[in-house]
């Protein structure tokens, strides 16, 4: 994620992905929701990574289990990249 004054790299924990369809859309929607809630850039990326990864774990498109998202969110890594 490239911001005005820094760059972040987000990574979910290892998981069993079964369907990547809709993951990008899920991530964009999660970013929108996070920013509307006033989350920081770093917090928004962690949330978006978790929603997108949870979507990949579900055989349906554009769906995820909140329990999966919360577990992923607690383990997601977001690091600032120095340039």
């Amino acid at each position: 994620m490239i911001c005005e004054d820094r760059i972040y790299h987000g990574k979910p924990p290892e998981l069993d992905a079964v369907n990547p369809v809709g993951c990008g859309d899920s991530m964009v929607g999660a970013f929108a929701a996070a920013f509307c809630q006033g989350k920081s850039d770093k917090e928004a990326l962690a949330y978006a990574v978790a929603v997108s990864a949870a979507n990949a774990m579900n055989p349906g498109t554009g769906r995820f289990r909140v329990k999966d998202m919360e577990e992923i969110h607690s383990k997601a890594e977001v690091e600032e990249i120095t340039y």
Side-chain angles (χ1 to χ4, degrees):
M1 174 181 191
I2 300 174
C3 302
E4 186 174 328
D5 60 346
R6 60 195 64 198
I7 298 172
Y8 293 108
H9 178 259
K11 180 180 173 185
E14 193 169 319
L15 52 89
D16 293 322
V18 295
N19 184 7
V21 177
C23 289
D25 293 335
S26 296
M27 181 172 258
V28 170
F31 271 122
F35 289 133
C36 284
Q37 294 171 13
K39 294 185 186 293
S40 69
D41 294 338
K42 188 174 181 178
E43 293 169 331
L45 179 55
Y47 180 67
V49 164
V51 169
S52 179
N55 178 80
M57 293 175 62
N58 192 305
T61 300
R63 299 171 187 252
F64 67 90
R65 294 184 331 173
V66 173
K67 180 180 174 182
D68 291 338
M69 183 276 297
E70 290 172 342
E71 184 174 337
I72 294 166
H73 189 251
S74 71
K75 297 176 183 176
E77 297 176 22
V78 176
E79 66 177 307
E80 186 174 337
I81 297 173
T82 306
Y83 61 97

